[in-house]
Amino acid sequence: MKQSTVLSFPVLFGLANAECDPNTIQAALPKGASVNFAYSLAANSTFEVPKSSTGYPTNAFNLPALCAVSVQVQSIANSTYGFGLFLPNDWNGRFLAVGNGGFAGGVDYVAMGAGVRYGFAAMSTDTGHNSSSVDGSWAYQHPERVENWGHLAMHGSTVVAKSITAAHYSRNITYSYYSGCSTGGRQGLKEAERYPEDFDGIVAGAPAWWTSHMQPWTARVALYNLPTTAEYHISAAQFDNVNTEVLKQCDPQDGLVDNIISDPKGCNFRAETLLCGSNATSNDTRCLKGPQLNTLYNIYNDYVAENNTIIFPTFYLGSEGQPALLTGNVPNPLGSDYIKYFLGLGPKWNVNDYNDELVALSDAISPGDATVRFDLSGYHNRGGKILSYHGMIDPLIPTSSTPFFYNRMLRTLAPKGIDADSFFRFFLVPGMGHCSGTQPKMNAPWYFAGPSQPSALGRSVYSVPGFENKEHDLLMAMMAWVEDGKAPDYLIGTKYVNDTTHTEVLRQRPLCMYPKQAKYNGAGNANAASSWECKDLY
Ligand SMILES: *[C@@H]1O[C@H](CO)[C@@H](O)[C@H](O)[C@H]1NC(C)=O
Ligand SMILES: *[C@@H]1O[C@H](CO)[C@@H](O)[C@H](O)[C@H]1NC(C)=O
Ligand SMILES: *[C@@H]1O[C@H](CO)[C@@H](O)[C@H](O)[C@H]1NC(C)=O
Ligand SMILES: *[C@@H]1O[C@H](CO)[C@@H](O)[C@H](O)[C@H]1NC(C)=O
Ligand SMILES: *[C@@H]1O[C@H](CO)[C@@H](O)[C@H](O)[C@H]1NC(C)=O
Ligand SMILES: *[C@@H]1O[C@H](CO)[C@@H](O)[C@H](O)[C@H]1NC(C)=O
Ligand SMILES: *[C@@H]1O[C@H](CO)[C@@H](O)[C@H](O)[C@H]1NC(C)=O
Ligand SMILES: *[C@@H]1O[C@H](CO)[C@@H](O)[C@H](O)[C@H]1NC(C)=O
């Protein structure tokens, strides 16, 4: 196992004999915080997740030698939140907080495990409740819990975990980082907005930043395609055919026909080519009828208010290949549980009663102040850096929502004379789904050791196997920017022939800094990153 081998940062501050027991940890805690447990684990141990943890029940395997800590912290209105902290014996002097997903409540020990392999002291908060990622019932009539989930738990856990870390090693932390995707991406941007001092560098993937609008949209977009008996309903098999047609029309624009769409905005997609002719059977899966084209239109256009302002930006073309929010008989609970429990309409609320006024209610309540505001000037001014990314076939959090955030942030910062490139860079990832993975028919280079990605390759994976450097590893790119002032213009994504064995590389390709796009040079080995160039297309 490679730990503390961040190649250009070989600083080691580890104190193998630091005390690891509840009394020692308790002594480092502020008032209102108490130790749940603290004990040592030898090298290559398994951390067994406490039984009642529903959010992240998977054990963390093959860990380096470390001190495993859990702490409970008093929050507002009698509520508490907890966090887990891994303190590796071979410490790299740095702190890393990892993020959560969906509505999940729980400590993500697996993500912490990926962090300690670099030598970080790694923390994950439970956000103040125990639940799976699609269960929002804990929020009902408990605004204090929503506030913990929205921002209090991440900030408070970070502050307390940092003080434990400094006390444990009897040293100040050199740099503090954050890494999360989805809700984790939102938590990262929220930290930059509200608590700019917490982190020097923030990795925020596929950020679910517009909670107050995205959650209602999640119900709305599903209702475009329901009920399943409607003549406008598009079945999963039909979406697969739509996907084939989208690939046919939209893939060539990046210079190579390879089933990976890099330039969906450069595609003038004509859905009419899918129209059923006179020979079609009553529910022919090979083609679409007129009313179904309306459904496609709704899905591929932003959700807009009557006055034509955008309520929520929609999917990129290509996302229909894995239509996670569009199939099934009812909308995803990430939409309906939000309306029932975060907006307070209660368990009896029927999703068929959805109406656009719920968006106004959601804005008025702004549950837990979870939605991120565009003014990140405080974070810029303290010298913080942000790296963001978004999979271009993300079927859960529409890809468009990150360019939307970025462009609104530009509008906010430009008048203040702030050059966004100097602190916030983001990368679209062609052919990647939600936070990790690709479709089998695409085999897109999606891997760059982003948050939650290592565990998708295997349980003891460190960095980007075979390419442990700042060009291929997003967290190392972040460190190089913060610590050496080397800002990344692109990353290189990797696809292994077999993700499980991850020995042989199938293809690598540059992931370009928005709004640049990768273009094939037309001659070289298309599977080599060097055959592609990031170009300004607009
Ligand atoms: C680490 O533990 C695994 C079992 O989880 C075992 O198969 C492997 O041999 C161990 N490796 C070392 C280096 O001890
Ligand atoms: C906090 O909890 C205690 C004991 O459960 C209860 O007596 C008290 O009323 C609660 N306070 C608030 C503000 O909810
Ligand atoms: C969640 O469950 C864990 C494990 O049982 C427990 O320690 C913690 O207090 C629970 N958290 C909340 C907020 O109820
Ligand atoms: C940590 O930093 C503070 C402020 O810079 C300094 O006063 C203190 O001595 C440092 N502590 C250690 C253990 O180095
Ligand atoms: C309809 O089916 C008939 C008989 O199989 C075939 O000759 C004809 O070309 C088909 N028409 C279309 C528009 O596909
Ligand atoms: C059409 O779809 C319905 C509902 O899925 C199914 O019951 C029926 O068998 C299908 N009809 C044909 C001709 O495929
Ligand atoms: C447009 O309508 C939305 C939803 O009713 C509202 O929130 C927004 O403030 C309106 N914008 C303008 C510019 O009137
Ligand atoms: C990848 O490798 C694993 C382990 O050798 C094997 O079980 C699996 O079938 C392979 N997957 C593919 C798609 O070849």
Side-chain angles (χ1 to χ4, degrees):
M1 195 172 306
K2 293 172 193 137
Q3 67 212 19
S4 319
T5 51
V6 177
L7 298 178
S8 42
F9 314 96
V11 207
L12 273 183
F13 295 117
L15 294 184
N17 297 326
E19 300 288 337
C20 178
D21 58 68
N23 290 338
T24 310
I25 301 294
Q26 184 67 52
L29 293 179
K31 197 165 165 289
S34 56
V35 177
N36 294 323
F37 60 76
Y39 59 85
S40 304
L41 285 175
N44 202 29
S45 294
T46 296
F47 176 84
E48 305 234 1
V49 173
K51 290 275 173 286
S52 59
S53 175
T54 45
Y56 302 89
T58 311
N59 293 342
F61 296 97
N62 307 100
L63 296 167
L66 54 77
C67 176
V69 176
S70 165
V71 166
Q72 208 67 26
V73 184
Q74 280 295 330
S75 187
I76 54 173
N78 264 1
S79 69
T80 71
Y81 50 81
F83 65 84
L85 177 64
F86 282 164
L87 298 160
N89 290 14
D90 284 337
W91 185 43
N92 68 9
R94 301 167 180 86
F95 177 81
L96 176 73
V98 298
N100 303 83
F103 299 150
V107 171
D108 188 346
Y109 290 100
V110 170
M112 288 159 59
V116 288
R117 293 194 180 99
Y118 295 81
F120 290 104
M123 185 282 286
S124 166
T125 179
D126 69 7
T127 76
H129 65 275
N130 290 331
S131 85
S132 80
S133 65
V134 292
D135 175 9
S137 56
W138 52 269
Y140 191 40
Q141 295 174 337
H142 281 286
E144 77 287 359
R145 291 183 190 162
V146 181
E147 205 75 19
N148 288 333
W149 175 80
H151 61 101
L152 290 176
M154 180 57 76
H155 170 61
S157 299
T158 296
V159 169
V160 177
K162 280 174 151 185
S163 69
I164 297 173
T165 302
H168 180 74
Y169 297 107
S170 308
R171 291 222 180 222
N172 284 330
I173 294 165
T174 54
Y175 297 99
S176 294
Y177 295 95
Y178 174 87
S179 175
C181 193
S182 197
T183 279
R186 180 191 67 75
Q187 290 170 303
L189 295 181
K190 195 73 200 175
E191 278 283 321
E193 177 219 314
R194 271 193 80 145
Y195 309 104
E197 292 308 319
D198 282 357
F199 300 108
D200 302 298
I202 290 174
V203 170
W209 65 271
W210 203 350
T211 309
S212 57
H213 283 202
M214 184 173 80
Q215 262 51 52
W217 166 88
T218 299
R220 185 79 200 91
V221 79
L223 290 167
Y224 288 138
N225 199 34
L226 288 174
T228 55
T229 50
E231 59 173 0
Y232 56 77
H233 175 73
I234 302 175
S235 68
Q238 285 169 324
F239 272 120
D240 194 48
N241 281 331
V242 176
N243 185 232
T244 301
E245 182 64 18
V246 168
L247 285 172
K248 189 172 141 201
Q249 294 189 32
C250 303
D251 173 9
Q253 282 83 342
D254 55 26
L256 185 72
V257 176
D258 59 356
N259 274 353
I260 303 171
I261 301 174
S262 304
D263 188 17
K265 293 289 174 192
C267 179
N268 185 16
F269 180 65
R270 262 189 76 71
E272 284 72 13
T273 55
L274 288 161
L275 261 179
C276 292
S278 60
N279 284 1
T281 54
S282 72
N283 45 6
D284 204 316
T285 58
R286 295 164 302 177
C287 58
L288 297 182
K289 302 208 165 68
Q292 294 174 313
L293 292 188
N294 290 348
T295 302
L296 264 197
Y297 178 90
N298 287 333
I299 291 168
Y300 280 118
N301 281 282
D302 296 335
Y303 180 18
V304 295
E306 268 178 41
N307 60 17
N308 220 19
T309 58
I310 291 181
I311 295 179
F312 197 66
T314 198
F315 301 113
Y316 269 17
L317 285 162
S319 307
E320 68 291 319
Q322 301 173 318
L325 294 180
L326 306 173
T327 50
N329 298 321
V330 291
N332 189 295
L334 288 167
S336 46
D337 269 24
Y338 175 83
I339 294 163
K340 288 177 186 170
Y341 305 120
F342 288 62
L343 300 187
L345 273 69
K348 295 209 174 89
W349 180 75
N350 183 329
V351 72
N352 294 314
D353 295 336
Y354 184 94
N355 65 71
D356 291 346
E357 277 156 36
L358 289 169
V359 178
L361 176 66
S362 187
D363 275 336
I365 299 174
S366 189
D369 190 30
T371 295
V372 182
R373 284 175 279 267
F374 303 120
D375 188 354
L376 302 186
S377 58
Y379 191 63
H380 164 269
N381 295 343
R382 67 78 91 201
K385 310 290 185 222
I386 296 173
L387 288 175
S388 186
Y389 59 89
H390 208 130
M392 288 175 87
I393 60 165
D394 192 328
L396 279 178
I397 297 184
T399 310
S400 299
S401 60
T402 300
F404 185 92
F405 180 88
Y406 181 82
N407 291 330
R408 288 299 162 108
M409 184 189 72
L410 292 187
R411 288 191 200 184
T412 310
L413 299 187
K416 299 188 177 203
I418 295 174
D419 168 24
D421 288 355
S422 71
F423 86 108
F424 188 126
R425 296 185 173 210
F426 109 84
F427 306 84
L428 288 172
V429 187
M432 185 173 86
H434 187 59
C435 296
S436 68
T438 180
Q439 273 190 277
K441 65 175 152 189
M442 296 181 180
N443 275 330
W446 61 273
Y447 188 79
F448 43 85
S452 83
Q453 290 190 348
S455 61
L457 295 197
R459 58 195 209 180
S460 60
V461 169
Y462 164 72
S463 183
V464 181
F467 305 89
E468 297 88 350
N469 57 51
K470 70 179 169 59
E471 282 74 36
H472 297 81
D473 179 317
L474 180 61
L475 196 49
M476 289 187 188
M478 183 87 255
M479 293 164 75
W481 195 8
V482 167
E483 301 180 21
D484 285 352
K486 296 194 173 116
D489 294 323
Y490 63 90
L491 291 167
I492 294 175
T494 297
K495 174 73 183 83
Y496 297 94
V497 172
N498 183 327
D499 286 340
T500 310
T501 56
H502 48 81
T503 43
E504 197 187 336
V505 170
L506 176 68
R507 53 165 61 119
Q508 292 182 316
R509 195 169 290 185
L511 310 172
C512 302
M513 189 173 127
Y514 182 84
K516 288 183 198 287
Q517 290 173 11
K519 281 277 184 187
Y520 178 50
N521 69 13
N525 174 3
N527 289 335
S530 55
S531 305
W532 294 76
E533 220 184 314
C534 290
K535 290 196 168 162
D536 266 318
L537 297 184
Y538 304 106

